Amino acid sequence: MSSPSLVLPEHLSLQHHQTARDKVVSTCRLPAGTVILSVRSLTSMLLPREKGRRCDFCHSLAPQDRGRLQRCTGCASYWYCDAKCQSLHWRTHKKYCKHVNAFCAERQFDQLESHSKLDALLLTYVLAELSARRTETKEGDDLDVLMFVSLLPGPVEGMDAPPTCPLSTSHRPVQTASELFVRCGNNNFSIHSHLTTIAHGVFPLASRLFNHSCVPNAVAKYRIAHAKEAVMEIVALRDIVPGEEICIPYVDPALVETRQQMFRFTYGFACICPSCAAFKRIDTSQPAPDKAGLESLGTSLRKFVFQDPRPDKTRLPSSPVNLETVPVEISPIFRESCLTSLCESFSAFSHDGPFESALEVGLTILAFYVVIYPPNYPQIGIFPSHFPLEPGSFLCPPGMHLLEMAKTAWNAFITMEGAETQLSGLKLLLQVRAFLGLSRQIWAVIGPEGDEGGPLAEIQVLERLLSEQEPP
Ligand SMILES: C[S@@+](CC[C@H](N)C(=O)[O-])C[C@H]1O[C@@H](n2cnc3c(N)ncnc32)[C@H](O)[C@@H]1O
């Protein structure tokens, strides 16, 4: 399918890519924090666990000051902030409102696996959106639709499209459900708020432009606002030089083992980057390290990354460290099961104590992230109960690791027993300040995203508490 002509902002240009058709490069220097592109979704779909908590149109949380969300009286299965969001959604929702409950109750839908149910609903929404646009334009497809149907198909070509909900419309899209379905899997983004996935969305221009990198120089964030469709913003993580390709991560780079499968099965390519090549040095046919092995690898990793493994001596490295530079004897710690155990321990210790153990394990996780993620990556915390992941989704709650470390050091400080010295208290306060400072630096680059509040608001609260402890 030929591509519609692209009108790009002046700071971007499209060039040929050896295997991924095209790539987008910067035409000038783009400083860290630049919003490189801002685009609205063609369509988006709330995840089932968010239904009734968030508006089906704008995805905002139920407003606390205005009480509960309002239900669609037609199907009673879609919820809105108010009449404004409902009427904005009605242009597409009216096409399946009458049929959606019966469709979801049918055996054919009910027997699908949960990821296929999501595919079926997303495909229904794409069909409803295309049909609404045909009704509105009467002249054929608009640029967004042409862009979507010109996207590279994923590796599901030849696979049957899932069943879709019948639509009430006299303007059916000209494209078949299969033609659209093969472009949904590899061109579908997880919309997140404070790093928690809340919805999936299709953003054709972003899909057309950005290839994947395991060490990306940009990331996608989302702006959610009442009565507006979700907006994706692509933000530069570091200064990008003229002529440099701009890439985003399609999967969480911390998934060093499963990311290869996701590239192959969801996106249809094999990643040959240096980080993926370095992972091949690890013999995954061997059992993963046991508890004692993990502890000793953790100490070695902290020593390698921070020079001094003691929590109060932590300094981030001045020169870049990455998977390629990690000594091969430490590299088994990058097995995914190790990260899961570390995160489980951190979660338990930082909740119930002992906080010193939480800080030690937390530092090992931080060392892991410093190796895996590029600078200013919003340090995604890991939540082990989210395994196994849906393809293409990111590891999400409980939020940014550095902020969790600051909170843990704060909790250690406020629960200190009388016998502990003033010096220990001072050391803990220094740690709170150091972790908060690093966290603030990252969020200053990323900027506001998702719902109101979030990490920036939490940082402010902790900064205030900290200032009350310090002499004026
Ligand atoms: C969202 S599209 C990227 C846009 C694409 N460059 C274009 O010209 O339309 C995703 C597809 O691009 C290809 N792709 C993206 N990143 C890649 C990479 N790092 N290496 C090889 N292929 C890649 C894969 O075929 C993938 O399914």
Side-chain angles (χ1 to χ4, degrees):
M1 225 162 288
S2 70
S3 268
S5 44
L6 277 170
V7 183
L8 294 181
E10 264 177 21
H11 56 273
L12 298 179
S13 100
L14 206 61
Q15 293 181 2
H16 172 70
H17 183 281
Q18 262 189 329
T19 51
R21 182 167 66 177
D22 291 327
K23 62 181 178 184
V24 69
V25 299
S26 63
T27 57
C28 57
R29 182 176 158 273
L30 299 173
T34 305
V35 174
I36 299 169
L37 189 77
S38 179
V39 274
R40 276 182 200 287
S41 61
L42 178 72
T43 188
S44 65
M45 167 188 74
L46 270 187
L47 289 187
R49 64 167 179 266
E50 298 293 334
K51 287 285 266 180
R53 279 187 77 219
R54 290 179 180 273
C55 173
D56 272 286
F57 175 69
C58 72
H59 306 335
S60 299
L61 280 167
Q64 282 174 352
D65 54 341
R66 277 178 283 144
R68 293 189 340 198
L69 295 173
Q70 294 170 18
R71 242 180 228 234
C72 167
T73 48
C75 61
S77 303
Y78 286 70
W79 283 262
Y80 300 100
C81 296
D82 50 26
K84 190 166 181 196
C85 284
Q86 180 166 19
S87 69
L88 288 165
H89 203 228
W90 186 242
R91 61 182 273 284
T92 54
H93 181 62
K94 67 182 172 198
K95 302 195 182 276
Y96 52 82
C97 178
K98 256 197 256 153
H99 315 285
V100 71
N101 289 331
F103 170 68
C104 292
E106 272 171 23
R107 241 172 98 83
Q108 199 192 11
F109 180 85
D110 193 48
Q111 287 185 337
L112 293 175
E113 291 195 43
S114 53
H115 68 90
S116 301
K117 283 184 179 158
L118 293 184
D119 286 347
L121 285 174
L122 187 64
L123 186 56
T124 298
Y125 294 173
V126 170
L127 286 161
E129 180 63 42
L130 266 53
S131 143
R133 288 184 186 223
R134 286 197 85 75
T135 316
E136 288 151 10
T137 61
K138 299 196 175 71
E139 295 167 6
D141 290 328
D142 64 17
L143 200 62
D144 254 3
V145 175
L146 292 174
M147 185 79 69
F148 180 68
V149 295
S150 76
L151 294 175
L152 293 177
V156 288
E157 197 145 29
M159 249 196 229
D160 289 337
T164 53
C165 178
L167 300 180
S168 310
T169 179
S170 48
H171 291 93
R172 302 204 67 78
V174 286
Q175 299 80 11
T176 63
S178 304
E179 263 176 295
L180 300 171
F181 175 61
V182 292
R183 289 173 174 82
C184 281
N186 62 332
N187 293 298
N188 155 5
F189 291 84
S190 298
I191 298 179
H192 43 83
S193 168
H194 315 327
L195 310 175
T196 300
T197 303
I198 56 168
H200 285 194
V202 176
F203 297 84
L205 182 58
S207 287
R208 181 71 180 88
L209 299 183
F210 300 102
N211 290 323
H212 163 83
S213 167
C214 295
V215 192
N217 51 12
V219 285
K221 70 171 182 178
Y222 299 87
R223 306 297 301 266
I224 294 162
H226 171 234
K228 300 218 165 74
E229 289 130 325
V231 169
M232 171 200 271
E233 291 183 348
I234 302 289
V235 193
L237 286 177
R238 57 165 171 79
D239 290 0
I240 296 176
V241 297
E244 189 179 342
E245 180 178 4
I246 304 170
C247 289
I248 58 172
Y250 287 3
V251 302
D252 186 340
L255 299 174
V256 277
E257 284 179 71
T258 45
R259 72 187 191 198
Q260 292 297 336
Q261 292 162 30
M262 292 186 188
F263 298 147
R264 200 159 348 118
F265 297 118
T266 309
Y267 299 98
F269 71 93
C271 187
I272 50 165
C273 77
S275 167
C276 286
F279 181 72
K280 294 210 177 97
R281 294 181 306 168
I282 306 171
D283 183 358
T284 48
S285 65
Q286 294 296 318
D290 59 13
K291 195 164 176 280
L294 188 52
E295 254 172 48
S296 126
L297 285 174
T299 309
S300 308
L301 181 67
R302 292 201 303 275
K303 209 164 174 180
F304 171 73
V305 172
F306 304 127
Q307 271 78 53
D308 193 324
R310 286 170 295 176
D312 57 316
K313 301 284 177 203
T314 307
R315 292 283 173 279
L316 286 184
S318 47
S319 52
V321 287
N322 50 44
L323 209 48
E324 302 94 281
T325 54
V326 170
V328 72
E329 60 279 9
I330 308 180
S331 56
I333 201 169
F334 291 94
R335 302 278 299 268
E336 275 169 34
S337 60
C338 292
L339 186 55
T340 309
S341 317
L342 290 168
C343 291
E344 274 167 355
S345 304
F346 178 65
S347 190
F349 292 145
S350 59
H351 190 256
D352 303 323
F355 294 118
E356 299 73 55
S357 308
L359 286 172
E360 193 174 300
V361 180
L363 270 185
T364 306
I365 298 172
L366 185 59
F368 185 111
Y369 288 166
V370 168
V371 170
I372 292 291
Y373 293 136
N376 296 325
Y377 201 82
Q379 304 280 9
I380 295 172
I382 223 164
F383 195 52
S385 67
H386 276 229
F387 286 103
L389 289 167
E390 296 154 21
S393 76
F394 285 70
L395 290 169
C396 299
M400 193 181 55
H401 186 62
L402 283 162
L403 181 54
E404 295 301 315
M405 289 291 281
K407 286 192 221 163
T408 305
W410 176 258
N411 288 342
F413 171 73
I414 55 172
T415 53
M416 268 175 55
E417 301 284 324
E420 289 176 72
T421 63
Q422 214 180 349
L423 187 63
S424 329
L426 212 59
K427 279 183 179 175
L428 284 171
L429 287 180
L430 284 174
Q431 284 183 62
V432 180
R433 190 178 320 137
F435 292 131
L436 268 187
L438 290 168
S439 181
R440 180 171 267 295
Q441 261 176 37
I442 292 173
W443 285 98
V445 169
I446 303 297
E449 54 77 49
D451 302 309
E452 296 274 298
L456 276 170
E458 288 189 51
I459 290 171
Q460 275 166 6
V461 171
L462 215 45
E463 280 174 345
R464 189 173 44 75
L465 292 172
L466 195 59
S467 69
E468 287 165 8
Q469 289 297 326
E470 288 169 345

